[in-house]
Amino acid sequence: KEDDEVINALAFLKLKDNQINVAISYWLDILKFDEKNRLAKQNLDKIKKAKDKSRLSEKAAPTQFLFPDRFFLSQFLSAHSLLVWFI
C-alpha cells in the first residue's frame, strides 16, 4: 500500500515533467502487483480521457492525481458551506 503511494507520487511527478509515458509505466507497474488499485486505474483513465495530452503537465493538480477523494470532499464542502454550519 505505502509503496503504491510512493510510486503514484513518482508517476505524478513524471506527468508534471511532461514524461507521460514514464508516468503511465509507473501506474501500470502498480497494477502488476495490485490489479485492483483504484487510484492507479483512475489516473490512467484520466490520461486516457484527456483531450489535450500535451497540456496534461500544466493542468494536472496533485489533488486530482494524488488525493482525489480529499479533492472531492473539499470541493463538496466549499460548495455546501452552509451544511458545515449545521453539522
Side-chain angles (χ1 to χ4, degrees):
K1 173 86 173 130
E2 292 160 0
D3 291 342
D4 292 350
E5 292 174 2
V6 171
I7 296 170
N8 186 60
L10 288 171
F12 175 74
L13 290 174
K14 292 299 180 183
L15 180 68
K16 290 298 287 180
D17 197 29
N18 207 28
Q19 297 181 33
I20 298 169
N21 290 334
V22 177
I24 289 171
S25 70
Y26 280 144
W27 283 312
L28 291 173
D29 285 345
I30 292 172
L31 293 176
K32 283 181 192 173
F33 298 102
D34 179 9
E35 60 189 37
K36 295 181 180 181
N37 188 293
R38 184 174 58 93
L39 189 54
K41 287 181 179 182
Q42 287 176 347
N43 289 339
L44 286 169
D45 195 46
K46 288 173 191 164
I47 290 176
K48 184 178 178 181
K49 290 180 178 178
K51 293 178 182 171
D52 187 1
K53 290 181 180 35
S54 65
R55 298 198 58 195
L56 268 173
S57 62
E58 299 169 25
K59 293 184 173 189
T63 50
Q64 296 169 319
F65 283 83
L66 300 175
F67 316 108
D69 296 333
R70 293 180 201 161
F71 176 73
F72 173 76
L73 181 61
S74 66
Q75 294 294 343
F76 176 81
L77 290 177
S78 66
H80 299 87
S81 58
L82 289 177
L83 180 66
V84 176
W85 287 101
F86 296 107
I87 296 179

